[in-house]
Amino acid sequence: MEEGKVYVITDDITCPLFRLIGASVVRTKDPEETMKALKELIKRPDVAMVMVSYDVAVGKEEEIRNLAAEISKPVITLIPGRVHKPPKLDPNKVLLRALGFG
C-alpha cells in the first residue's frame, strides 16, 4: 500500500478539528480559492487524499466530482460542512449511474 498525506480543505473554524486527528489542513475562504488549492494539491506526489468541505466548495461540487473522476491519485472527496450538507442521494440513480445508464 502506498503511503501519503491526508489533506482537508476547509474554513478557519473547522480546521483545528482536523489537525487534532493528524490531517494537514488548507484554509480557504471561498470556492474559487478552494479550487485553486485543490488543483495545487493534486500535483503533489506526497498527497494521498484530499477531503473538501462543502462549506468552502459551494457551487463547485460538480467541478470537484469531475476532477476526482479524472484522476486516480489522490483520492478527492467532498465532506459535510458545518453549514452546507451534501444533497440526499437517490440509491436508484446512484446504481444506474454506476451501471452506465445515468
Side-chain angles (χ1 to χ4, degrees):
M1 180 180 202
E2 211 172 309
E3 291 187 24
K5 292 182 180 179
V6 174
Y7 279 84
V8 180
I9 301 175
T10 190
D11 58 86
D12 287 337
I13 295 172
T14 311
C15 68
L17 301 173
F18 288 104
R19 283 205 174 116
L20 284 173
I21 63 168
S24 298
V25 177
V26 177
R27 297 178 189 175
T28 61
K29 292 182 170 84
D30 60 61
E32 295 301 324
E33 190 178 355
T34 297
M35 289 306 299
K36 183 179 176 189
L38 179 59
K39 289 175 180 176
E40 289 175 14
L41 284 173
I42 64 174
K43 295 176 186 174
R44 295 179 47 177
D46 65 325
V47 179
M49 180 177 207
V50 181
M51 295 185 285
V52 182
S53 169
Y54 268 89
D55 288 345
V56 294
V58 174
K60 297 290 186 178
E61 299 92 347
E62 193 63 32
E63 189 176 343
I64 292 170
R65 284 188 197 96
N66 291 339
L67 185 60
E70 293 173 3
I71 60 173
S72 60
K73 185 182 177 201
V75 173
I76 302 170
T77 187
L78 286 160
I79 58 173
R82 293 176 303 108
V83 178
H84 296 90
K85 308 293 183 217
K88 298 287 183 195
L89 292 177
D90 178 358
N92 293 329
K93 287 182 182 178
V94 172
L95 179 60
L96 288 172
R97 189 170 182 189
L99 295 172
F101 295 107

